[in-house]
């Protein structure tokens, strides 16, 4: 799977709406989300994927709709130690999200691909993560 499998056209060229305080993360991490939104869309045409650290080798994120400011919290954190390319990968012209690592600090390290449907992330594939030797 790759980002090219779920392309989107780049149509949004307006000003990014201020993030709303409609979710737990949008209230608790409002500064991190607001700062990310100031840079404009970076994911799936008109979304801002705001990523911040939650410890060494750990990331949390939320997705902000640049049109209306609605914030969607990720249903998990991502942590990695020795995974090749561990973390959260995304691009502006794709709905795909590439996650490498363990979810919610669990033991199941994997290489996962999700697709954003405008409301939630849907798991498309999962395989064992590659680790540095």
């Amino acid at each position: 799977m790759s980002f090219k499998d779920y392309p989107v056209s780049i149509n949004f060229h307006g000003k990014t709406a201020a993030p709303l305080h409609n979710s737990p993360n949008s209230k608790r991490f409002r500064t991190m989300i607001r700062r990310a939104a100031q840079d404009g869309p970076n994911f799936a045409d008109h979304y801002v994927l705001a990523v911040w650290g939650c410890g060494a080798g750990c990331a949390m994120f939320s997705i902000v709709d640049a049109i209306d400011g609605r914030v969607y919290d990720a249903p998990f954190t991502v942590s990695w130690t020795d995974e090749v390319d561990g973390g959260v990968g995304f691009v502006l012209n794709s709905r795909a999200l590439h996650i490498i690592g363990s979810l919610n600090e669990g033991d199941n390290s994997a290489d996962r691909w999700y697709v954003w449907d405008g409301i939630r992330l849907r798991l498309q594939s999962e395989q064992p993560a590659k680790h540095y030797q």
Side-chain angles (χ1 to χ4, degrees):
M1 191 169 160
S2 74
F3 294 113
K4 294 177 188 175
D5 294 334
Y6 293 91
V8 295
S9 298
I10 307 302
N11 297 313
F12 182 82
H13 297 290
K15 182 179 177 188
T16 302
L20 300 176
H21 300 296
N22 64 292
S23 71
N25 280 357
S26 68
K27 295 171 186 170
R28 187 170 179 205
F29 300 103
R30 63 185 167 271
T31 301
M32 300 305 291
I33 292 170
R34 185 183 70 246
R35 286 180 182 164
Q38 288 172 345
D39 292 336
N42 59 6
F43 175 64
D45 176 47
H46 65 274
Y47 293 96
V48 175
L49 204 133
V51 182
W52 60 94
C54 53
C58 181
M60 298 177 72
F61 64 95
S62 290
I63 299 169
V64 181
D65 188 326
I67 295 172
D68 64 12
R70 190 163 181 81
V71 177
Y72 301 88
D73 294 340
F76 48 77
T77 61
V78 181
S79 58
W80 60 95
T81 53
D82 62 352
E83 291 86 352
V84 175
D85 298 325
V88 181
F90 54 95
V91 296
L92 178 61
N93 64 348
S94 178
R95 297 183 301 124
L97 184 68
H98 193 195
I99 303 287
I100 300 175
S102 299
L103 305 184
N104 298 321
E105 299 183 39
D107 294 332
N108 184 20
S109 177
D111 183 327
R112 298 173 179 90
W113 284 91
Y114 290 85
V115 172
W116 176 245
D117 69 6
I119 297 173
R120 67 184 53 87
L121 294 167
R122 300 200 182 270
L123 181 63
Q124 297 298 305
S125 72
E126 180 176 351
Q127 60 187 7
K130 294 178 184 169
H131 293 264
Y132 291 108
Q133 299 295 327

